[in-house]
Amino acid sequence: MAKIAPSILAADFARLGEDVKNICDIGVDYLHIDIMDGSFVPNISFGSAVMKSLNEYINAPYDVHLMIDNPDNLLEDFVTENTEFITVHQEACRHLNRTVQHIHSLGVKAGVSINPATPVSALENILEYVDLVLVMSVNPGFGGQKFIPSALEKIAQLKEIREKKGYNYLIEVDGGAGVGNAEAIREAGCDIIVSGTAVFKAEDRVEAIAKIKG
Ligand code: DX5
Ligand code: ZN
């Protein structure tokens, strides 16, 4: 069984609190919060104010995914009573080790993410320090894209490295994940599955969440 982190990017923004509460009432492990800056990725989503205003509607911890260049000066903005993980991109941080230390100094867990074209080997020197590795299975910037299968191989590699070295990070996948490919994702060794469209746009959300978790 995997954990599920529905991405609120696919929620109804006109009635966001209500829609996200509906998902939380079904029972989810995390809420995935996609922050996009229009620079690191070619889209702008929403900022920390939106996330903070959701605090009163939710009962699940936040899994914050920062798709922003040089996130260091903004990290503190995303720390709330519900924030469990703050994840930054390997490709967006000039001093990744410092950024990971900074996240930890704020009292939250630190994640690092890699784009589809970035190999797991680029994380070799940071894996021992992180609590989460987020494998992108689409090019970040938009919901509703098609899953890129090479992510499965990366998940398996990360699992092997974790076992061999005795590291503790969780492995998460993000992009194009849903009922149709959740089993393959779980079998590769994924701990947390992010799912936007496949959960929020499902005809039966309860069933979709149950099937993705396995
Ligand atoms: C993509 C985001 C994803 C996205 C997932 O840039 O990081 O979290 O919202 O959405 P789906 O599940 O629709 O691919
Ligand atoms: Zn995401």
Side-chain angles (χ1 to χ4, degrees):
M1 190 190 254
K3 293 192 167 172
I4 191 162
S7 165
I8 70 164
L9 193 66
D12 180 350
F13 281 10
R15 39 185 282 277
L16 189 60
E18 212 181 302
D19 208 17
V20 171
K21 185 176 184 308
N22 174 272
I23 289 286
C24 288
D25 288 346
I26 294 170
V28 297
D29 299 289
Y30 304 97
L31 274 184
H32 186 79
I33 309 290
D34 283 312
I35 307 292
M36 304 176 179
D37 67 350
S39 170
F40 179 66
V41 290
N43 195 11
I44 294 173
S45 55
F46 49 82
S48 61
V50 171
M51 185 189 92
K52 284 174 185 157
S53 68
L54 282 176
N55 270 324
E56 64 176 291
Y57 292 91
I58 66 156
N59 57 12
Y62 287 140
D63 165 36
V64 181
H65 178 194
L66 296 182
M67 287 161 274
I68 62 182
D69 276 320
N70 303 316
D72 298 68
N73 292 336
L74 289 169
L75 292 172
E76 213 169 335
D77 266 2
F78 295 94
V79 179
T80 74
E81 69 259 34
N82 285 307
T83 305
E84 178 145 345
F85 296 105
I86 294 182
T87 295
V88 295
H89 267 261
Q90 184 272 343
E91 303 88 354
C93 298
R94 189 169 287 168
H95 302 290
L96 182 59
N97 183 288
R98 176 183 289 144
T99 304
V100 166
Q101 286 187 43
H102 186 176
I103 295 170
H104 281 148
S105 76
L106 297 171
V108 296
K109 294 177 185 164
V112 64
S113 182
I114 47 172
N115 283 336
T118 305
V120 168
S121 59
L123 298 177
E124 190 181 340
N125 293 325
I126 200 71
L127 287 178
E128 69 178 294
Y129 303 109
V130 295
D131 306 291
L132 178 80
V133 180
L134 173 51
V135 176
M136 288 308 299
S137 40
V138 296
N139 289 292
F142 305 92
Q145 301 181 80
K146 195 167 176 290
F147 186 85
I148 298 172
S150 56
L152 296 175
E153 176 60 29
K154 291 186 185 177
I155 293 167
Q157 281 177 35
L158 284 161
K159 191 176 176 205
E160 199 185 318
I161 295 169
R162 182 174 64 189
E163 269 160 28
K164 209 155 108 196
K165 303 265 193 178
Y167 295 158
N168 291 312
Y169 51 79
L170 294 170
I171 304 167
E172 182 176 47
V173 77
D174 184 8
V179 173
N181 53 15
E183 193 178 348
I185 292 170
R186 291 193 305 268
E187 273 173 11
C190 189
D191 303 301
I192 307 172
I193 300 176
V194 175
S195 193
T197 310
V199 167
F200 278 94
K201 309 282 192 245
E203 262 182 43
D204 185 339
R205 290 176 169 183
V206 176
E207 190 188 17
I209 288 170
K211 285 191 170 161
I212 292 167
K213 285 175 69 94

